[in-house]
Amino acid sequence: MKKIFKWASLGLIISLYFFIQPIQSILNHEFNVIGLNQFLAKSLFKNDESVASVPLYVKDYILKEDCLYVFPLTEEVCLPIDVMVVKIEEGQMEVISLDERFIIRNLKKHTSNLYQYVHSLNALGTTNDFFIVEGSAIKDIASRLVIYYEKI
């Protein structure tokens, strides 16, 4: 019933907009356009995911040149960014995020598959003590790492 009402009101507004000049000048006002869009498109982005800067809590991390040494709280290897796995080798994997490539080294076991899209904070694999992330945009990852002092 709500969809029928929404489509009927949309059709009425569009027909009034094109055929009656005073209504066209009222609806062209900036505030009215915003209000109309909010009314008609309330649930347009209901199922979309939003991009957020989610911090990753770690024991410690060290940033040296193009290498980031991360000491996770558990044995799981996680990144604070969404990545896709493009290459898996023994003890390492290569991932891509937007237009940046990263190589993750010192892995004990891989839990993600080749060409799998992995959301941020989900495990890519496991490690014994630490893992190494190499790439050109390491500072973006390091800026989202938070040392969790309570666990230390």
Side-chain angles (χ1 to χ4, degrees):
M1 184 68 180
K2 288 184 180 181
K3 287 185 180 181
I4 295 172
F5 176 70
K6 191 179 279 189
W7 286 106
S9 62
L10 177 64
L12 179 66
I13 290 171
I14 289 174
S15 63
L16 290 175
Y17 177 79
F18 286 114
F19 297 118
I20 302 175
Q21 185 65 27
I23 292 180
Q24 186 176 11
S25 64
I26 292 171
L27 290 178
N28 279 346
H29 195 269
E30 183 178 343
F31 294 118
N32 294 334
V33 171
I34 292 171
L36 184 63
N37 287 339
Q38 286 177 347
F39 171 73
L40 295 175
K42 280 183 185 175
S43 62
L44 185 61
F45 300 105
K46 186 184 287 184
N47 296 327
D48 287 357
E49 295 182 17
S50 62
V51 177
S53 177
V54 181
L56 175 64
Y57 292 98
V58 297
K59 285 182 193 175
D60 197 9
Y61 66 92
I62 300 168
L63 182 61
K64 286 188 178 178
E65 298 173 7
D66 286 344
C67 292
L68 176 65
Y69 299 87
V70 180
F71 299 88
L73 293 174
T74 62
E75 292 184 350
E76 290 184 340
V77 174
C78 301
L79 291 177
I81 56 173
D82 297 340
V83 294
M84 186 175 90
V85 179
V86 293
K87 188 176 183 182
I88 295 178
E89 294 177 358
E90 186 66 33
Q92 72 179 19
M93 73 172 47
E94 187 174 348
V95 296
I96 189 168
S97 173
L98 296 177
D99 57 349
E100 299 293 331
R101 287 186 177 266
F102 302 103
I103 298 173
I104 304 170
R105 299 185 193 275
N106 198 24
L107 296 175
K108 180 173 70 174
K109 182 181 174 186
H110 305 284
T111 58
S112 55
N113 300 321
L114 189 62
Y115 302 116
Q116 179 181 357
Y117 186 79
V118 181
H119 287 283
S120 62
L121 307 180
N122 288 332
L124 293 166
T126 59
T127 185
N128 289 330
D129 186 31
F130 67 95
F131 62 94
I132 304 166
V133 182
E134 297 177 1
S136 59
I138 293 301
K139 292 181 181 178
D140 295 338
I141 295 176
S143 67
R144 296 181 184 174
L145 297 178
V146 177
I147 298 175
Y148 196 50
Y149 291 105
E150 294 177 8
K151 288 276 186 175
I152 297 177

